[in-house]
Amino acid sequence: MVKMLEAEELAKDITETPSLLNGKGPDREWMDTPAEFRDGNWAYSAKTKAIESLKMPYARDWSPGDEDWKLPENWKEIISEGFRERLDKFRSFKVFMDICVRCGACADKCHFFLGSGDPKNMPVLRAELLRSVYRNDFTLAGKLLKKFAGARPLTMEVVKEWFLYFFQCTECRRCSVYCPYGIDTAEITMMARELLNLVGININWIMDPAANCNRTGNHLGIEPHTFKTVVESLCEDIEDVTGITINPSFNRKGAEILFITPSGDVFADPGVYTMMGYIMLFEHIGLDYTLSTYASEGGNFGLFNSNELMKKLNAKMYHEAERLGVKWILGGECGHMWRVINQYMDTMNGPTPSYMEDPVSPITGTKFENAVSTKMVHIMEFTADLIKHNKLKLDKSRNDHVRATFHDSCNPSRAMGMLDEPRYVLNNVLNNFFEMPDNTIREQTFCCGAGSGLNTEEIMDVRMRGALPRATALNHVVEKHDVNMLSCVCAIDRATLLALTQYWAPDVEVSGVTELVANALIMEGENEVRDCDLREEPYLGVED
Amino acid sequence: MKIINPLIIVLVLVALAYFGVKAGLTALFGVVIPYIAIVIFLLGFIYKVIGWAKSPVPFRIPTTCGQEKSLPWIKQNKLDNPSSTLGVVIRMALEIFLFRSLFRNTKAEVYEGAKLKYGSNKWLWLGGIVFHWSFLIILVRHSRLFLEPIPGFITFLEKADSFMQVGVPLFYMTDAGILAAVTYLFLRRVVEPQIKYLSMPADYFPLYLILSIAITGVLMRYFIRVDVVNIKALARGLVTFQPTIPDGIGVLFYIHLFLVSVLAIYFPFSKLMHLGGVFLSPTRNLANNNRAVRHINPWNPDIKIRTYEEYEDEFREHMKKVGLPVDKE
């Protein structure tokens, strides 16, 4: 693993090293500045096994650190042809290549720029990396006026620069909120990654989970029998805490609802507490649901690679819903999973199997009108509705040892707009809830620093820099309100924010919202004295 | 270099018109070039917009900037996260007429210990909106040169624009507005380190060009009087396709007209096409109703997936061992 600076040293470096962040721009123009590969700023290349298992092109042994990337001989033609094809397939891409006026409103909106001062992390320049080649190859002005019009030819140096900076963008879309034309860097990054993918340039942290998901049903590569036993062991933990025995069903035909959540919730700390939360919640309301081992992944690392791979992985949800004959699908807490479900799923893999029904909560009778086509409801929408109808027995004081804030995950905020549901839930399950500053929450929220497949160890330097804006906002409420819990509705966040807090805010823990719901639940048949939360931390007022 | 070179080009353009007209090429600068310019502008603009429109919108990807429509008791932010066509129209109107997204702009500053603060920063919004509205009003005011009789709303616009009733001839607010705004937009590209670094020659060039157009226009109106009657005769000649070159129009006018022609020619090939593109931006002009109304992708590819059957075939024995139901025994 790459050696990291201590947090204080990194903070000093960010503040004091002359950069565009503190008003001292580099002397050299960006086009004349080659990409610099150093330890901690590039992710490992995909292993041949993953590429082969997904039947994708140019599986080979190579490393971004090498001089020779072993690209196919005609890589230039492949990229150029791929570029043209995508301009013809995506209006977004074509328009975004043409209309940027470089007003600079986006410049200081990117968390990676705010943590590094690297000019190419200004969204406008990130896009220019691609636009410059677009102008050169596809526009009259670029062909005639060359550099004056901002054009430059595609070279190997450019490809390396693309790799570095398009895997230094988390597709969080924050810049797109401020852009007067709505230019979405996520869209540009997605195109760039597709182009790189065409010549076999991909990173292992994306391709390996994608390959796993394809084969075993989830990113972590957990096979069905293990999946079942792990969930059952979580049920044992629930029993330890509450005294209640729960036996969730798996792959059960005829269940009313299929529940799908990211596999991170099943296997990774602290996501497991959220998983326990779901199971307790469903038991509490007597929901007729089943888990699937085949569609055991809500997340979709295909989103970070190409639209085709996204579709391939996402297709399992409806395929499984059809096989099991469920009425509708309930989805767990996950950020990019919900980008896919809210903006891509129905288009890619719909229409839904014919006998699926409009999603109606069997407990409250509420019809989720906003999901009548996709037939997939977010757990926060579902839970907020339950609470509104008084269907949950809650004791807020059980969370009195928790002083929580809420991290809006990029995709639920800016690709969905689910802002008030989780807040409503939180305010009903705990007494101490504090918002981070306005410019850092809701649609202006900052990324955890490692979304879109970048939560890999070897780029920890980049990640911790990108995490800085979120960490600064968090530390603000830690100092002001003694916040000790960073809650969120995203499984990737539950992994990445943990690294963030450990580095930048060591006294803060990370949780899902449903974990906090379950903490407050008064379950039928629970231990007479329920004295600790799901992490077996004692409730306030209870002696150790 | 990237700041100076575009200025030199504009100065060369000015010189071209000056010496050209002095050499007697009034018909070239007064008729031929304007005609070519307008043809290139129109065809180029249409070509570009059709080019964009020909590419489909495979996915509905609005950037949601407010609360979604979900449960009936949760208040939706209909302006920033519309779920209906009407909502989208309003969102787009706010974007196009009031630059709503730019109004959100903040400025981040880093303090000791890598603390970040975000201040409100509306200057770019103000400069942008003053510039664009002034430009539009000035453009519309100019139609008095092409139309006979002059429509009432033009006269009204002129009155409104000069309501301060200062100077002879009456001073137009938009003239000051465009000069101030373009100057500001230029200065920020020279003074602010981030903006300076990301700017290209293609950002300075149109600013110099528009500034020169505005300066020559202001000079003609307030300082170096030109023969407006003859200019109108020339303009009328152009729009009625009976071009004439009246005598006694000052060279300043030809410079002004030539720079406008260059701007029109340059327009479709440049970033100025944001005028057309803003209408077509899929992150703004679509409703966030994906889960309620299916969006169709015309090229939705056929993808072979790993079916449940294949999955069970690989794991059947393991599944049976732990009591997971299987489709085939």
mmCIF file of all heavy atoms in Angstrom, chain B residues 176-194:
data_model
loop_
_atom_site.group_PDB
_atom_site.id
_atom_site.type_symbol
_atom_site.label_atom_id
_atom_site.label_comp_id
_atom_site.label_asym_id
_atom_site.label_seq_id
_atom_site.Cartn_x
_atom_site.Cartn_y
_atom_site.Cartn_z
ATOM 1 N N ALA B 176 -24.362 51.335 -21.835
ATOM 2 C CA ALA B 176 -23.463 51.278 -20.688
ATOM 3 C C ALA B 176 -23.387 49.855 -20.165
ATOM 4 O O ALA B 176 -22.314 49.356 -19.804
ATOM 5 C CB ALA B 176 -23.951 52.214 -19.597
ATOM 6 N N GLY B 177 -24.550 49.193 -20.148
ATOM 7 C CA GLY B 177 -24.608 47.830 -19.622
ATOM 8 C C GLY B 177 -23.689 46.890 -20.369
ATOM 9 O O GLY B 177 -22.900 46.150 -19.768
ATOM 10 N N ILE B 178 -23.738 46.930 -21.682
ATOM 11 C CA ILE B 178 -22.934 45.967 -22.438
ATOM 12 C C ILE B 178 -21.447 46.290 -22.312
ATOM 13 O O ILE B 178 -20.625 45.381 -22.163
ATOM 14 C CB ILE B 178 -23.387 45.887 -23.925
ATOM 15 C CG1 ILE B 178 -22.858 44.596 -24.535
ATOM 16 C CG2 ILE B 178 -22.940 47.094 -24.730
ATOM 17 C CD1 ILE B 178 -23.510 44.225 -25.840
ATOM 18 N N LEU B 179 -21.108 47.569 -22.312
ATOM 19 C CA LEU B 179 -19.690 47.926 -22.170
ATOM 20 C C LEU B 179 -19.164 47.483 -20.809
ATOM 21 O O LEU B 179 -18.096 46.872 -20.707
ATOM 22 C CB LEU B 179 -19.503 49.442 -22.332
ATOM 23 C CG LEU B 179 -19.625 49.983 -23.753
ATOM 24 C CD1 LEU B 179 -19.520 51.507 -23.753
ATOM 25 C CD2 LEU B 179 -18.552 49.388 -24.658
ATOM 26 N N ALA B 180 -19.939 47.742 -19.768
ATOM 27 C CA ALA B 180 -19.495 47.384 -18.423
ATOM 28 C C ALA B 180 -19.410 45.870 -18.279
ATOM 29 O O ALA B 180 -18.433 45.322 -17.759
ATOM 30 C CB ALA B 180 -20.445 47.964 -17.386
ATOM 31 N N ALA B 181 -20.446 45.177 -18.770
ATOM 32 C CA ALA B 181 -20.495 43.724 -18.580
ATOM 33 C C ALA B 181 -19.386 43.026 -19.361
ATOM 34 O O ALA B 181 -18.717 42.134 -18.839
ATOM 35 C CB ALA B 181 -21.857 43.187 -18.993
ATOM 36 N N VAL B 182 -19.180 43.424 -20.607
ATOM 37 C CA VAL B 182 -18.124 42.772 -21.392
ATOM 38 C C VAL B 182 -16.759 43.061 -20.766
ATOM 39 O O VAL B 182 -15.893 42.187 -20.698
ATOM 40 C CB VAL B 182 -18.159 43.221 -22.867
ATOM 41 C CG1 VAL B 182 -16.976 42.646 -23.632
ATOM 42 C CG2 VAL B 182 -19.454 42.772 -23.520
ATOM 43 N N THR B 183 -16.592 44.280 -20.285
ATOM 44 C CA THR B 183 -15.333 44.612 -19.621
ATOM 45 C C THR B 183 -15.126 43.721 -18.404
ATOM 46 O O THR B 183 -14.041 43.168 -18.193
ATOM 47 C CB THR B 183 -15.319 46.089 -19.199
ATOM 48 O OG1 THR B 183 -15.586 46.884 -20.349
ATOM 49 C CG2 THR B 183 -13.974 46.478 -18.614
ATOM 50 N N TYR B 184 -16.191 43.555 -17.614
ATOM 51 C CA TYR B 184 -16.089 42.671 -16.451
ATOM 52 C C TYR B 184 -15.769 41.236 -16.877
ATOM 53 O O TYR B 184 -14.879 40.591 -16.319
ATOM 54 C CB TYR B 184 -17.382 42.703 -15.641
ATOM 55 C CG TYR B 184 -17.483 41.543 -14.677
ATOM 56 C CD1 TYR B 184 -16.716 41.513 -13.518
ATOM 57 C CD2 TYR B 184 -18.311 40.441 -14.956
ATOM 58 C CE1 TYR B 184 -16.771 40.437 -12.646
ATOM 59 C CE2 TYR B 184 -18.371 39.360 -14.094
ATOM 60 C CZ TYR B 184 -17.598 39.354 -12.941
ATOM 61 O OH TYR B 184 -17.651 38.287 -12.095
ATOM 62 N N LEU B 185 -16.497 40.751 -17.874
ATOM 63 C CA LEU B 185 -16.278 39.367 -18.314
ATOM 64 C C LEU B 185 -14.857 39.177 -18.835
ATOM 65 O O LEU B 185 -14.259 38.120 -18.688
ATOM 66 C CB LEU B 185 -17.302 38.989 -19.395
ATOM 67 C CG LEU B 185 -18.758 38.904 -18.918
ATOM 68 C CD1 LEU B 185 -19.701 38.670 -20.092
ATOM 69 C CD2 LEU B 185 -18.933 37.804 -17.869
ATOM 70 N N PHE B 186 -14.322 40.233 -19.429
ATOM 71 C CA PHE B 186 -12.930 40.168 -19.884
ATOM 72 C C PHE B 186 -11.972 40.197 -18.692
ATOM 73 O O PHE B 186 -11.073 39.371 -18.576
ATOM 74 C CB PHE B 186 -12.634 41.319 -20.844
ATOM 75 C CG PHE B 186 -11.172 41.478 -21.141
ATOM 76 C CD1 PHE B 186 -10.520 40.571 -21.954
ATOM 77 C CD2 PHE B 186 -10.434 42.525 -20.576
ATOM 78 C CE1 PHE B 186 -9.162 40.696 -22.209
ATOM 79 C CE2 PHE B 186 -9.081 42.655 -20.825
ATOM 80 C CZ PHE B 186 -8.436 41.742 -21.652
ATOM 81 N N LEU B 187 -12.199 41.154 -17.800
ATOM 82 C CA LEU B 187 -11.263 41.322 -16.687
ATOM 83 C C LEU B 187 -11.161 40.062 -15.828
ATOM 84 O O LEU B 187 -10.084 39.679 -15.384
ATOM 85 C CB LEU B 187 -11.673 42.519 -15.827
ATOM 86 C CG LEU B 187 -11.332 43.885 -16.436
ATOM 87 C CD1 LEU B 187 -11.832 45.009 -15.535
ATOM 88 C CD2 LEU B 187 -9.829 44.022 -16.685
ATOM 89 N N ARG B 188 -12.293 39.395 -15.594
ATOM 90 C CA ARG B 188 -12.210 38.197 -14.747
ATOM 91 C C ARG B 188 -11.373 37.111 -15.412
ATOM 92 O O ARG B 188 -10.749 36.306 -14.740
ATOM 93 C CB ARG B 188 -13.605 37.682 -14.373
ATOM 94 C CG ARG B 188 -14.412 37.136 -15.522
ATOM 95 C CD ARG B 188 -15.838 36.858 -15.106
ATOM 96 N NE ARG B 188 -15.971 35.670 -14.268
ATOM 97 C CZ ARG B 188 -16.058 34.420 -14.720
ATOM 98 N NH1 ARG B 188 -15.992 34.183 -16.016
ATOM 99 N NH2 ARG B 188 -16.189 33.398 -13.899
ATOM 100 N N ARG B 189 -11.333 37.126 -16.730
ATOM 101 C CA ARG B 189 -10.491 36.144 -17.425
ATOM 102 C C ARG B 189 -9.012 36.522 -17.384
ATOM 103 O O ARG B 189 -8.151 35.746 -17.791
ATOM 104 C CB ARG B 189 -10.933 36.003 -18.884
ATOM 105 C CG ARG B 189 -12.213 35.211 -19.049
ATOM 106 C CD ARG B 189 -12.416 34.750 -20.473
ATOM 107 N NE ARG B 189 -13.762 34.205 -20.645
ATOM 108 C CZ ARG B 189 -14.091 32.946 -20.413
ATOM 109 N NH1 ARG B 189 -13.168 32.091 -20.015
ATOM 110 N NH2 ARG B 189 -15.335 32.533 -20.592
ATOM 111 N N VAL B 190 -8.726 37.734 -16.956
ATOM 112 C CA VAL B 190 -7.342 38.164 -16.869
ATOM 113 C C VAL B 190 -6.877 38.169 -15.420
ATOM 114 O O VAL B 190 -5.731 37.874 -15.113
ATOM 115 C CB VAL B 190 -7.196 39.584 -17.471
ATOM 116 C CG1 VAL B 190 -5.752 40.047 -17.398
ATOM 117 C CG2 VAL B 190 -7.683 39.588 -18.901
ATOM 118 N N VAL B 191 -7.811 38.490 -14.521
ATOM 119 C CA VAL B 191 -7.431 38.715 -13.124
ATOM 120 C C VAL B 191 -7.587 37.460 -12.259
ATOM 121 O O VAL B 191 -6.723 37.137 -11.457
ATOM 122 C CB VAL B 191 -8.273 39.875 -12.540
ATOM 123 C CG1 VAL B 191 -7.999 40.025 -11.049
ATOM 124 C CG2 VAL B 191 -7.962 41.169 -13.277
ATOM 125 N N GLU B 192 -8.683 36.745 -12.417
ATOM 126 C CA GLU B 192 -8.917 35.598 -11.534
ATOM 127 C C GLU B 192 -8.075 34.410 -11.993
ATOM 128 O O GLU B 192 -8.227 33.931 -13.125
ATOM 129 C CB GLU B 192 -10.408 35.211 -11.553
ATOM 130 C CG GLU B 192 -11.278 36.220 -10.835
ATOM 131 C CD GLU B 192 -12.733 35.780 -10.758
ATOM 132 O OE1 GLU B 192 -12.975 34.557 -10.697
ATOM 133 O OE2 GLU B 192 -13.595 36.668 -10.783
ATOM 134 N N PRO B 193 -7.199 33.916 -11.129
ATOM 135 C CA PRO B 193 -6.240 32.877 -11.564
ATOM 136 C C PRO B 193 -6.905 31.640 -12.170
ATOM 137 O O PRO B 193 -6.457 31.136 -13.201
ATOM 138 C CB PRO B 193 -5.508 32.521 -10.266
ATOM 139 C CG PRO B 193 -5.686 33.688 -9.373
ATOM 140 C CD PRO B 193 -6.998 34.306 -9.725
ATOM 141 N N GLN B 194 -7.975 31.150 -11.533
ATOM 142 C CA GLN B 194 -8.611 29.942 -12.069
ATOM 143 C C GLN B 194 -9.179 30.193 -13.461
ATOM 144 O O GLN B 194 -8.991 29.410 -14.389
ATOM 145 C CB GLN B 194 -9.750 29.485 -11.146
ATOM 146 C CG GLN B 194 -9.248 28.917 -9.828
ATOM 147 C CD GLN B 194 -10.372 28.698 -8.828
ATOM 148 O OE1 GLN B 194 -11.561 28.723 -9.179
ATOM 149 N NE2 GLN B 194 -10.024 28.485 -7.573
#
